[in-house]
Amino acid sequence: MAIVNAAEDLNGRRRLSLQSPANLKLIGEIEVNTESDVKSALARARKAQVAWGKRPIEERVTYMEKALQILLERQDEFVQVIMEESGKAQTEALMIEIFAACDALRYFSRRAPKILKSEKHSMHGVLSFTKRLKVNYRPLGVVGIISPWNGPFILSINPTVQALLAGNAVLLKPSEVTPRSGGLAGKLFEEAGLPEDLLIVLQGDGETGAALVEAGVDKIAFTGSVGTGKKVALACAKQLIPCTLELGGKDPMVVCADANLDNAAAGAVAGAVFNTGQYCCGTERIYVVESVADAFIEKVVDKVKSLRQGSEGEFDVGAMFWPRQLDLVEAHVQDAIDQGAKALVGGRRNPNLEGLYYEPTVLVDVTHDMRIMEEETFGPVLPIMRVPDEETAIALANDTSFGLSGNVWSKDVAKAEELAERIDTGSVCVNDMAMAYGVLEAPFGGRKNSGLGQVNGDGGLRSFCFAQSVITDRFGGKLTASHYPYSLEKDEGMKKFMRFLWGSKLGRFIS
Ligand code: NAD
């Protein structure tokens, strides 16, 4: 992500300048959208949504398919923008931004007609004789999407695709640190010919984000930090509008004594260093059973030492996205070292690179009194703690205010799954890491401070709709016509009927 600074106002409007975190070069400026810009965008989006919401879903799908083809053709250009603004490695830009975006476009296009199709439900008990039920998935209206900087394109486009397919218009506010990468979602759909004003990109910082939340949209899909997420939740609560909050994490990794140590060490390094550690479900704490700790740590250290950090050509580890994050990682590592932790590799900014680089770092002798084991670090750091057994590992894994994801490693898959299910997180992987957001079938979301609601899966797509129940009387209202007068005789009849329904074998069968 880019380094953001206030630039000179132009025509009375606030501007922000952007520097690449990889080489500190100036890469552009954005104009900050004001509250009145947000309000006028909402009015335009509301108008555009009316016709869009009435279109058959198969028609909406065609725009997603067009967008997919354009993205495939123009991927290099998109990668370039993302790399310049974020400093991430090309493979990471391709993998978590472009590949994942293509996957989301196709996955939801292909399945949305079925997932959002009206459903006829059979009813229970006597209702099955008297009523019919249909459930329709109707668009909410205009959805506000607010995205962070660490996956600036995918975290903008994935919710946008789902919201549009569900028949909504979208106001998208990307992070001020990665405005151009987030804005690519708007560019892509404009080129795909999406009708005007169905997707409007609003640029700016927290002020624009807050204005969007307060503007009167019908839902907010927010991805970002816990602190901002709580502000968004309060503002949505006041307006009684739904929100999903995809927030931070402190994901634990548990390495059992019977784990394949080569795979586990590789998984630990990829889980913690991927996207320079700036990944919501990246591995942030590692618990390894004492009997294999030495061998595991040695393999992790070897692997970390082999990583190439850089900004050009082939490299494995990119820059930190912005100075605030670099300072935070440095502070967490320093706090750990001050309290007795040891850095076996790394533990400092990379002195050989000009941009915002922190060396991949392995820390041992860490404890739960240290910030590195308590707060989200969001950097390429592997704090490893030795534990006597798996039970202790699970207890420590759950000793946190976060609950996003986690992973367990063992050759005994049944045992690993049983341990994984005891970790109090929205998702968890066995012998793999950080997969959950990329598995579009899987409901993804956090427990505790990691968020509210879920994205992806059938439920995620449907969360951009309201489920409207249409209940029709099979007898044209005849039963309701005899509703009044009440009488003791009717009450006795009801009591008798209840005894039959839930007190007899036949009644229980049909109820
Ligand atoms: P952030 O909360 O600082 O900003 C996120 C977005 O909110 C930005 O677009 C920002 O401009 C906007 N914003 C700021 N103040 C606002 C306000 N008062 N009202 C409305 N919007 C406001 O978060 P960040 O630093 O950009 O992102 C990093 C965080 O995101 C990390 O904690 C990471 O774990 C989390 N994250 C979570 C997931 C997930 O799916 N759970 C995915 C990626 C990132």
Side-chain angles (χ1 to χ4, degrees), residues 128-418:
S128 63
F129 303 111
T130 58
K131 314 279 178 205
R132 279 190 286 125
L133 168 66
K134 189 164 115 186
V135 177
N136 298 319
Y137 294 99
R138 294 186 46 188
L140 291 167
V142 181
V143 174
I145 295 175
I146 301 177
S147 58
W149 45 263
N150 63 325
F153 181 56
I154 183 62
L155 295 171
S156 297
I157 197 164
N158 185 27
T160 297
V161 166
Q162 296 184 48
L164 287 173
L165 278 170
N168 302 285
V170 170
L171 300 184
L172 165 67
K173 200 217 69 76
S175 168
E176 64 275 27
V177 194
T178 45
R180 297 184 313 155
S181 309
L184 287 173
K187 201 171 158 191
L188 181 64
F189 279 113
E190 190 184 324
E191 290 182 25
L194 190 75
E196 207 178 3
D197 293 334
L198 270 180
L199 168 58
I200 300 175
V201 178
L202 296 159
Q203 295 290 8
D205 49 18
E207 205 178 299
T208 314
L212 175 55
V213 176
E214 298 281 358
V217 294
D218 302 294
K219 170 176 175 151
I220 291 288
F222 174 83
T223 313
S225 64
V226 178
T228 313
K230 286 184 178 173
K231 287 186 203 163
V232 170
L234 277 174
C236 290
K238 275 196 225 146
Q239 302 168 77
L240 280 185
I241 57 166
C243 60
T244 49
L245 305 172
E246 296 297 324
L247 310 179
K250 191 73 195 165
D251 291 0
M253 170 182 192
V254 173
V255 184
C256 300
D258 58 356
N260 176 319
L261 293 186
D262 287 320
N263 293 349
V269 176
V273 180
F274 185 56
N275 216 32
T276 322
Q278 301 159 119
Y279 187 59
C280 55
C281 40
T283 297
E284 292 244 341
R285 300 174 284 149
I286 300 171
Y287 303 99
V288 56
V289 171
E290 180 67 58
S291 58
V292 293
D294 285 342
F296 172 75
I297 292 168
E298 195 183 323
K299 286 175 193 291
V300 168
V301 168
D302 284 351
K303 198 117 205 121
V304 168
K305 279 184 179 159
S306 72
L307 296 173
R308 299 157 303 167
Q309 195 161 34
S311 62
E312 277 170 26
E314 285 187 353
F315 62 92
D316 308 306
V317 188
M320 299 302 302
F321 285 23
W322 67 334
R324 193 181 76 179
Q325 204 54 44
L326 182 58
D327 293 345
L328 185 78
V329 173
E330 202 168 35
H332 280 197
V333 172
Q334 196 53 52
D335 168 74
I337 288 172
D338 290 347
Q339 293 193 62
K342 221 185 290 153
L344 298 183
V345 50
R348 58 175 192 171
R349 293 179 187 227
N350 190 324
N352 305 314
L353 292 165
E354 197 186 353
L356 307 181
Y357 289 89
Y358 197 85
E359 290 181 350
T361 297
V362 179
L363 286 178
V364 291
D365 299 340
V366 292
T367 69
H368 270 217
D369 298 324
M370 299 171 181
R371 294 180 73 190
I372 200 92
M373 297 302 270
E374 283 219 320
E375 300 170 26
E376 184 177 50
T377 304
F378 231 47
V381 184
L382 297 90
I384 306 178
M385 196 167 169
R386 294 160 182 266
V387 290
D389 50 41
E390 289 147 8
E391 285 303 314
T392 312
I394 297 299
L396 287 168
N398 286 330
D399 176 28
T400 174
S401 61
F402 292 98
L404 194 54
S405 197
N407 49 94
V408 177
W409 296 73
S410 165
K411 283 186 207 144
D412 181 343
V413 171
K415 178 187 77 176
E417 284 181 353
E418 188 267 323

